[in-house]
Amino acid sequence: MANIPLEDIQNDVDTIVSEWIDLGLLKRGELFVIGCSTSEVAGERIGTSGNKQIAKELFTSFRKLEEKTGVSLAFQCCEHLNRALVVSEDVLERFRLTEVSAIPVPGAGGSMAAYAFQQMQDAVLVESIQAHAGMDIGDTFIGMHLKPVVVPIRLRQKNIGAAHVTFARTRPKLIGGERAVYSKDQAKSMLCD
């Protein structure tokens, strides 16, 4: 394992959370999916060295993101649980999701999802979601859990520990053709003439 101090990992994730908050793109009640390989954060190959302490540090910062923006967090499991997601019972009910029967553990689900499941008071596992935004830590591929249309977000901080991190939000599909109007201001000016 690479010798990456937990303090450095915490600083990386805190920087990312602050950037997300400052962007103002996240709205109360939206779903935010997190895919995370704690092995990759530690400098190891995905799925080989899960780390509960890293999961704990990350989870603390993700809770700050949740508190400051009002988003609901969803933690993606690894492929051993078919990339199911840890969410709260409230999210299960609010979004009418399909619950599945499994409890994530480090060897089947991943350390991050397992830690989130233990820490969330009303955690359940769901089969899939369509999140409004998300973060992929260590190339875990969260795309299957994002709404169409996905738009990449570029933040200054591109790593957490040794893990590559990517960010995305979604937007509604643009429909119509060359006569379609997408800006409310433009539509308003056309209606006022």
Side-chain angles (χ1 to χ4, degrees):
M1 178 169 133
N3 192 10
I4 301 170
L6 282 175
E7 182 178 303
D8 290 352
I9 292 168
Q10 189 65 54
N11 288 337
D12 290 347
V13 73
D14 284 345
T15 298
I16 287 169
V17 165
S18 292
E19 285 189 67
W20 266 112
I21 293 167
D22 291 346
L23 283 173
L25 295 173
L26 304 176
K27 296 182 181 125
R28 180 165 301 286
E30 290 184 337
L31 282 173
F32 189 89
V33 62
I34 298 165
C36 178
S37 168
T38 59
S39 298
E40 290 279 333
V41 171
E44 300 295 333
R45 189 172 57 83
I46 193 169
T48 62
S49 302
N51 187 304
K52 182 179 177 180
Q53 190 60 39
I54 289 173
K56 178 181 178 183
E57 296 297 323
L58 298 177
F59 186 81
T60 300
S61 289
F62 298 147
R63 281 292 209 193
K64 289 178 196 170
L65 179 70
E66 184 178 49
E67 291 166 8
K68 296 281 186 185
T69 64
V71 296
S72 296
L73 301 178
F75 293 89
Q76 178 180 273
C77 295
C78 71
E79 73 275 10
H80 296 102
L81 291 183
N82 297 326
R83 302 209 191 285
L85 302 115
V86 176
V87 298
S88 68
E89 284 182 7
D90 173 64
V91 167
L92 170 77
E93 293 167 11
R94 194 164 20 113
F95 290 94
R96 297 181 180 166
L97 302 173
T98 301
E99 187 174 2
V100 293
S101 294
I103 296 174
V105 295
S111 294
M112 186 74 249
Y115 188 82
F117 193 89
Q118 291 173 350
Q119 296 305 306
M120 294 168 67
Q121 192 171 30
D122 58 351
V124 295
L125 206 62
V126 297
E127 187 170 28
S128 64
I129 62 170
Q130 287 207 316
H132 302 88
M135 160 180 346
D136 188 321
I137 305 164
D139 302 320
T140 62
F141 298 114
I142 62 169
M144 67 190 287
H145 295 304
L146 290 168
K147 298 171 81 161
V149 169
V150 177
V151 178
I153 299 293
R154 305 284 186 233
L155 300 182
R156 291 182 308 272
Q157 181 69 36
K158 299 186 183 337
N159 288 37
I160 296 177
H164 173 247
V165 185
T166 56
F167 315 92
R169 67 174 178 85
T170 61
R171 63 158 174 78
K173 294 178 182 179
L174 301 177
I175 62 167
E178 62 186 45
R179 292 158 86 185
V181 174
Y182 303 110
S183 161
K184 288 183 181 179
D185 290 337
Q186 183 183 5
K188 189 175 185 179
S189 70
M190 292 172 77
L191 294 171
C192 291
D193 289 343

